[in-house]
Amino acid sequence: MIRQSWWKILSVLLLLYTFSAGLLIKVPLIGNLYGTIRNLFFHVPMWFGMMVLFIVSVVYAVKYLINPSVTNDIYSTAFAKTGMLYGILGLITGAIWANYTWGEPWSNDPKQLGSAIALLIYAAYFILRNSIPDMDKRARIGAVYNIFACAMLFPTLWIIPRMVESLHPGGQGVEGNPAMAGKDLDPNMRMVFWPAVLGWTLLGIWMTTLKIRFELYREKKLAHA
Amino acid sequence: MNSLKIISALFKKDLLLEIRQQYSFYGVLLYVASTIFVLFLAMGQPEDAVWNGLFWMIQLFVCVNAVAKSFLQESKGKMLYFYSIAGPRDFILSKLLFNALLMLVMSLLSLALFTILMGNPLRNPLQFVGLATLGGISLSLVFTFLAAIAAKAQQQAALMAILGFPIIIPQLLLLMKISGIAFSSVIQAGLLQMCLLLVGLDFMVIVLSVILFPFLWKD
């Protein structure tokens, strides 16, 4: 899977489609969004990608606890790193979007807070790992914190934004689902949105596999040195 | 049945140590008193929202200080001894129980001190007392598990704050939002839902600690 090329080609094609169709198709004019609605194809997929990457990271953390091997640990960390990158990109694209539609880049929206918390948690995860010199112990404790943090984080990311007032869709008293933009998403846009989500997520996985292969190579070199 | 006995024995041991040494209890108590006194000197008697925010922040720091040493005080030899007589699940459950009790007492004491020094803006004091206990227990559960993690790495206290603060923010925000009811006579919508969410999170923390602690325990 890691070395196969079909999904990498698919990712490139989907992203080419996202960039061309995403900027060219006719979009509905909603409220004060105007043309910025096209950011949907770039901002929202970042969060989808981040969640997928973090969840895969946790899956490998669980696998590490069941079967402690260096490979599982490398997988887990690499996915967390790329997830972090996607989170930062999501925050930046969101801030730019918010600057034009809500009037300020940061307005303490519950989703903004949630994403900031997510980034802080994973930053703490890397600090924790770096503070433990012993490799096995580092991997084990890192995996435990990864699982614990993720289990605490995701319910709050999914539940709280629905319960409080939010500028994002899906908050209390606002129509739609927080993530999918719900049934009010224009059919034209849907034709671009889901391919964009898939393309960006695959790109994230691709980047991670490169990192993993590099780390595995380094590990092998160390073992034979 | 057997594990219940072990849990209660370990719990009793912590309690007895606490009563005999009286170091950490009075230490934390003094911490609470002096922090609130400093706050009183700095702020006087603040408005409702500030009062609420300060109260929960103080709870957070008290919790970090009260819980941090729960794994630090156990030396390596002692841990080995516990390892030979008790399972990891019993051990973490007894710690969770003890810290919850400690934090319960601390929450009530700091609430009393808060109302004495910083004024009493509460309209529904009983509800707030209930919330303070619920909040104190929630905080203690999360930080007990994090203390167990941090005890395995160096730089205990600092690391605990780094690990714990981001994780605790959602719970703290929920608590602050819910405790708004104690300041006004208006009933908030979705209150029960939020309380249930808090209790659910507490339950999840207990389950996760029971599942994950065995991996931290063996060295």
Side-chain angles (χ1 to χ4, degrees):
Chain A
M1 180 67 192
I2 194 169
R3 281 166 189 275
Q4 276 169 11
S5 54
W6 61 268
W7 57 273
K8 292 168 192 166
I9 296 168
L10 179 69
S11 162
V12 172
L13 288 178
L14 285 175
L15 286 179
L16 281 176
Y17 171 68
T18 304
F19 274 93
S20 50
L23 296 176
L24 291 175
I25 58 159
K26 219 168 131 54
V27 291
L29 290 176
I30 304 167
N32 62 350
L33 286 173
Y34 304 112
T36 66
I37 200 168
R38 290 181 202 276
N39 198 2
L40 185 82
F41 309 131
F42 306 96
H43 169 64
V44 184
M46 289 300 146
W47 297 114
F48 273 87
M50 182 193 84
M51 293 212 176
V52 169
L53 292 167
F54 280 162
I55 288 170
V56 174
S57 167
V58 170
V59 169
Y60 276 102
V62 173
K63 271 176 109 173
Y64 179 85
L65 289 184
I66 294 167
N67 168 32
S69 76
V70 187
T71 322
N72 281 337
D73 183 46
I74 289 175
Y75 270 74
S76 179
T77 349
F79 275 106
K81 272 182 191 158
T82 325
M84 186 109 178
L85 174 71
Y86 266 51
I88 292 168
L89 287 176
L91 214 56
I92 293 171
T93 49
I96 296 170
W97 198 357
N99 196 19
Y100 288 104
T101 51
W102 301 341
E104 51 187 353
W106 189 272
S107 42
N108 277 347
D109 187 74
K111 292 217 130 184
Q112 289 177 327
L113 294 178
S115 49
I117 292 167
L119 292 181
L120 281 177
I121 284 178
Y122 277 89
Y125 166 70
F126 291 116
I127 301 269
L128 173 70
R129 285 182 61 90
N130 288 339
S131 75
I132 305 169
D134 182 63
M135 267 178 58
D136 287 335
K137 209 168 153 187
R138 175 199 299 166
R140 189 152 42 83
I141 293 168
V144 168
Y145 182 72
N146 194 346
I147 297 167
F148 184 73
C150 190
M152 295 293 293
L153 169 69
F154 281 91
T156 54
L157 280 189
W158 289 328
I159 297 169
I160 291 178
R162 285 176 166 82
M163 287 174 41
V164 293
E165 297 85 11
S166 169
L167 293 160
H168 277 91
Q172 206 176 54
V174 186
E175 278 290 306
N177 179 300
M180 334 290 190
K183 51 185 186 299
D184 54 342
L185 185 58
D186 181 68
N188 267 336
M189 290 187 64
R190 202 174 302 164
M191 291 296 291
V192 181
F193 176 67
W194 288 109
V197 168
L198 190 63
W200 283 114
T201 308
L202 284 176
L203 183 73
I205 295 170
W206 188 6
M207 288 196 289
T208 318
T209 54
L210 288 178
K211 175 92 184 138
I212 290 168
R213 283 166 70 181
F214 176 67
E215 290 287 331
L216 284 175
Y217 169 73
R218 208 158 67 173
E219 196 64 33
K220 214 162 106 189
K221 239 177 115 185
L222 270 176
H224 291 295
Chain B
M1 217 57 251
N2 197 19
S3 80
L4 259 184
K5 247 190 215 159
I6 294 174
I7 293 172
S8 68
L10 284 171
F11 177 71
K12 240 184 253 163
K13 166 230 138 205
D14 271 341
L15 204 63
L16 266 179
L17 264 181
E18 203 56 68
I19 293 169
R20 295 236 174 103
Q21 297 184 333
Q22 298 194 332
Y23 151 71
S24 61
F25 179 78
Y26 286 109
V28 177
L29 193 61
L30 192 60
Y31 181 84
V32 173
S34 45
T35 332
I36 296 176
F37 186 62
V38 169
L39 264 183
F40 165 67
L41 291 181
M43 318 265 316
Q45 304 206 332
E47 290 167 36
D48 296 2
V50 180
W51 194 97
N52 191 18
L54 282 176
F55 177 76
W56 289 110
M57 286 319 287
I58 293 291
Q59 291 303 298
L60 180 63
F61 282 93
V62 167
C63 187
V64 172
N65 278 286
V67 170
K69 44 138 215 65
S70 70
F71 285 86
L72 198 65
Q73 70 180 14
E74 316 287 14
S75 64
K76 251 205 161 124
K78 253 198 216 164
M79 285 299 269
L80 203 63
Y81 175 61
F82 292 135
Y83 188 76
S84 64
I85 58 165
R89 304 222 155 95
D90 306 333
F91 186 73
I92 188 78
L93 281 173
S94 79
K95 283 282 183 203
L96 285 173
L97 202 63
F98 176 75
N99 282 334
L101 180 72
L102 182 67
M103 204 46 213
L104 186 78
V105 176
M106 285 302 159
S107 302
L108 294 178
L109 282 176
S110 55
L111 181 59
L113 266 173
F114 238 76
T115 44
I116 292 169
L117 283 179
M118 317 269 289
N120 183 6
L122 300 170
R123 296 231 180 120
N124 301 316
L126 269 181
Q127 273 163 334
F128 198 82
V129 168
L131 266 174
T133 51
L134 178 67
I137 290 171
S138 306
L139 291 176
S140 78
L141 293 178
V142 172
F143 276 100
T144 304
F145 188 68
L146 290 172
I149 292 182
K152 288 283 160 191
Q154 283 88 16
Q155 315 132 354
Q156 249 245 340
L159 198 61
M160 227 174 99
I162 298 174
L163 295 179
F165 285 5
I167 291 188
I168 207 73
I169 295 170
Q171 263 166 302
L172 219 52
L173 283 178
L174 263 180
L175 277 169
M176 285 184 202
K177 200 168 158 58
I178 301 175
S179 49
I181 54 160
F183 295 95
S184 70
S185 40
V186 185
I187 294 173
Q188 241 178 2
L191 198 66
L192 190 70
Q193 228 182 352
M194 287 195 272
C195 287
L196 282 179
L197 186 65
L198 263 182
V199 176
L201 278 173
D202 286 352
F203 187 69
M204 199 178 68
V205 172
I206 295 173
V207 171
L208 277 173
S209 335
V210 167
I211 295 172
L212 291 175
F213 187 69
F215 294 103
L216 287 178
W217 163 268
K218 53 188 171 195
D219 244 334

